[in-house]
Amino acid sequence: MKSLIYNLFFNSIYFFLNLLNPLIKIRFLQVETRAIGHMSQPIEIHLQEKKSKIVNNFFFDIYFPQNKIANLYLWEKWKTILNIKIPGNISRFFFEPIFFIALKNNNKNMLVPFRHNTNTYFGKSFESCWQAQDINKVLDKSIPLITFSNEEKKKAFNFLNKNNISEDDKIILLVNRDPKYRHEQNVNKISNEYTYRDQDISLFDEAVEYLCSLNYKVIRMGKNMDKRLNIKNPNFFDYAFSNERSDFLDIYLFKICDFVISTGTGLDNVASLFRKKILHINYADLLLMRYLNSNVSLICPKKFIDAETNKELTIFEIYEKLPKNSNFTDCNDFLKKENIKYKSLNRNEIKYSCIEMIEFLTKGLNSETISLNKKVKEMFLNKYGISFNSNFCKTYSNCLKENN
């Protein structure tokens, strides 16, 4: 009975607001606050699109969070920018049912224009790509929306100074996902198994030691990680295991870093908030690389192997396995269907990818890398109609040949 009254009440409100829509233009959006990648870069791009008037602003837009908020500090920043005054639990009670009804009916007059990951809700997509993809290139033409007070900056550097990092140091952030991520997302699926997006942090030890020898301060990011990176170097800080880790520092460190090394996970989306360059190492989502934004400068993906023949596949051989007009976006589903295994890069390959990134940032792309990527991008465009922003590391060149 309660459920019936509840549904009748909110359906009536939805119907009433829909009738008033020509006069009072109200739209709703539930911000995907459950994961840091979903509540960072997509919101920045959305708001920059509104500022650029790519999105129609002649509406009263109501934003509200999900029950879980991955980073409370960042949400407070967005609340200020979005002028959200109502507490989350109250706004969810009143606005969430209306939002879901509008979403279910694909009523775009009552939905904030947001390239939404609708698979989260109904297993279908109303848009061709997600809001995290900067299809209108607004990030390159705008300044970051998130700013910090002098008091916040002082607080951050007091913490960093205690950990041998000064204001003038060159800082690299290391972002690595491991199996514990899935433990946090679903307690019913606790496993030590590494998935295609998880990495063994120990494989980064030689690369980190090398970067530290160049006097970079390398900070390993994350929270609730599986294991430490066992390096005894004063220029390395395993912040992920610090007792003083905080939601504030999780964001601020991206602001002050020189660049980010990431294995391709949600946390690296925070880099886009401050237009920081990214090196993707052991990147696994090959089907999504066309959607990577311009701040992803270099990619060195994992190795992929035909499980039946044990033959290492080139990237073109992988794409040849895609059905025409395929809507595969989940690389894991595709790998399972095609019986493709994966393995991580070795320590040397990871180290040399980092060397390439340093050279790129100081000198630009070298002629060999430019030539390699020109050829690869032309082949992708001609064979599959796909173009992408990022460049492959020359370390990965053996996997970029059209035929082995």
Side-chain angles (χ1 to χ4, degrees):
M1 186 65 178
K2 285 183 180 180
S3 176
L4 179 63
I5 294 171
Y6 177 91
N7 289 332
L8 182 61
F9 175 73
F10 283 107
N11 273 282
S12 299
I13 292 177
Y14 167 79
F15 180 74
F16 179 69
L17 290 175
N18 198 32
L19 282 178
L20 290 178
N21 194 266
L23 300 174
I24 304 174
K25 297 183 181 296
I26 301 175
R27 301 182 300 196
F28 298 87
L29 176 67
Q30 183 176 61
V31 180
E32 289 185 72
T33 55
R34 63 184 174 82
I36 187 65
H38 294 236
M39 67 176 295
S40 52
Q41 179 174 270
I43 305 303
E44 175 81 10
I45 293 172
H46 167 65
L47 292 176
Q48 296 292 0
E49 288 175 343
K50 290 187 80 172
K51 282 184 69 176
S52 302
K53 298 184 178 178
I54 294 168
V55 171
N56 190 341
N57 289 325
F58 294 103
F59 285 79
F60 180 66
D61 290 339
I62 295 175
Y63 298 84
F64 61 97
Q66 293 177 317
N67 183 51
K68 180 180 179 181
I69 298 177
N71 188 292
L72 291 171
Y73 175 83
L74 182 57
W75 179 239
E76 288 300 318
K77 288 289 187 180
W78 289 140
K79 280 172 63 178
T80 300
I81 293 169
L82 294 167
N83 197 30
I84 297 173
K85 305 294 185 184
I86 304 173
N89 58 340
I90 296 174
S91 63
R92 273 194 311 278
F93 179 83
F94 286 103
F95 303 143
E96 188 175 67
I98 301 169
F99 170 74
F100 272 86
I101 296 168
L103 189 64
K104 189 173 184 178
N105 288 290
N106 195 18
N107 185 349
K108 294 188 178 181
N109 290 325
M110 290 182 64
L111 294 169
V112 173
F114 193 86
R115 296 183 296 280
H116 212 77
N117 183 8
T118 49
N119 289 327
T120 302
Y121 301 110
F122 299 111
K124 59 183 179 180
S125 178
F126 302 134
E127 305 290 350
S128 59
C129 59
W130 189 37
Q131 188 65 44
Q133 291 127 27
D134 187 15
I135 60 174
N136 294 303
K137 309 297 181 188
V138 292
L139 294 179
D140 294 337
K141 299 178 286 189
S142 61
I143 60 173
L145 295 172
I146 302 294
T147 59
F148 301 91
S149 67
N150 289 332
E151 185 179 343
E152 287 174 325
K153 294 174 186 177
K154 183 178 178 181
K155 176 183 175 182
F157 278 104
N158 284 340
F159 167 77
L160 292 171
N161 287 337
K162 289 191 299 183
N163 291 282
N164 193 40
I165 301 171
S166 71
E167 195 167 351
D168 297 324
D169 281 329
K170 299 178 294 181
I171 296 172
I172 299 172
L173 302 187
L174 174 59
V175 179
N176 177 78
R177 200 182 101 167
D178 64 29
K180 203 166 183 182
Y181 170 83
R182 287 176 296 128
H183 302 180
E184 297 300 315
Q185 300 300 310
N186 189 341
V187 294
N188 296 319
K189 291 187 178 181
I190 294 178
S191 168
N192 292 321
E193 179 188 355
Y194 280 67
T195 69
Y196 78 114
R197 293 184 70 191
D198 298 328
Q199 320 294 332
D200 183 353
I201 189 63
S202 65
L203 292 174
F204 284 84
D205 52 7
E206 291 185 10
V208 170
E209 289 281 15
Y210 172 77
L211 294 170
C212 289
S213 74
L214 298 179
N215 211 29
Y216 281 98
K217 296 299 173 72
V218 181
I219 302 176
R220 190 262 186 105
M221 301 296 291
K223 63 180 179 181
N224 301 320
M225 306 304 290
D226 191 36
K227 63 181 180 180
R228 295 176 181 269
L229 180 55
N230 292 318
I231 290 178
K232 306 299 182 184
N233 191 308
N235 285 341
F236 172 69
F237 177 33
D238 207 336
Y239 164 76
F241 285 88
S242 171
N243 292 330
E244 296 182 76
R245 192 211 62 78
S246 69
D247 283 1
F248 159 62
L249 287 169
D250 285 354
I251 305 301
Y252 188 78
L253 291 175
F254 281 90
K255 166 69 175 175
I256 61 171
C257 74
D258 284 61
F259 71 93
V260 177
I261 298 169
S262 175
T263 55
T265 187
L267 182 57
D268 63 45
N269 278 350
V270 180
S272 293
L273 299 184
F274 309 107
R275 317 304 189 259
K276 299 296 180 175
K277 301 294 185 185
I278 299 174
L279 162 64
H280 272 324
I281 293 180
N282 271 333
Y283 184 73
D285 281 312
L286 291 183
L287 306 186
L288 299 180
M289 67 181 184
R290 74 185 83 175
Y291 301 123
L292 292 174
N293 295 328
S294 60
N295 65 318
V296 179
S297 304
L298 290 173
I299 318 173
C300 200
K302 283 187 171 182
K303 304 291 182 67
F304 294 91
I305 302 159
D306 188 309
E308 292 182 8
T309 64
N310 212 33
K311 175 181 177 289
E312 192 170 301
L313 300 171
T314 70
I315 196 166
F316 294 101
E317 289 172 320
I318 293 170
Y319 267 78
E320 285 294 331
K321 293 177 179 292
L322 274 174
K324 287 187 178 180
N325 302 316
S326 168
N327 61 354
F328 268 113
T329 55
D330 188 324
C331 194
N332 199 36
D333 287 347
F334 170 71
L335 295 175
K336 287 179 179 178
K337 179 178 181 296
E338 296 298 329
N339 201 18
I340 298 173
K341 300 187 299 182
Y342 48 85
K343 69 175 182 179
S344 294
L345 304 173
N346 62 41
R347 285 175 164 83
N348 271 339
E349 289 166 330
I350 292 173
K351 177 181 173 181
Y352 283 112
S353 297
C354 292
I355 292 172
E356 284 189 63
M357 185 66 172
I358 297 291
E359 290 178 349
F360 163 71
L361 292 174
T362 54
K363 303 174 185 177
L365 290 177
N366 60 45
S367 58
E368 185 180 350
T369 305
I370 291 172
S371 176
L372 169 70
N373 280 280
K374 183 174 183 292
K375 182 179 179 182
V376 169
K377 290 180 179 182
E378 284 176 354
M379 287 193 289
F380 260 94
L381 191 60
N382 294 334
K383 289 172 73 73
Y384 313 112
I386 293 172
S387 60
F388 46 91
N389 295 307
S390 307
N391 291 293
F392 289 98
C393 292
K394 60 185 178 185
T395 304
Y396 199 67
S397 60
N398 284 340
C399 295
L400 297 174
K401 297 174 181 176
E402 191 166 12
N403 292 298
N404 267 345

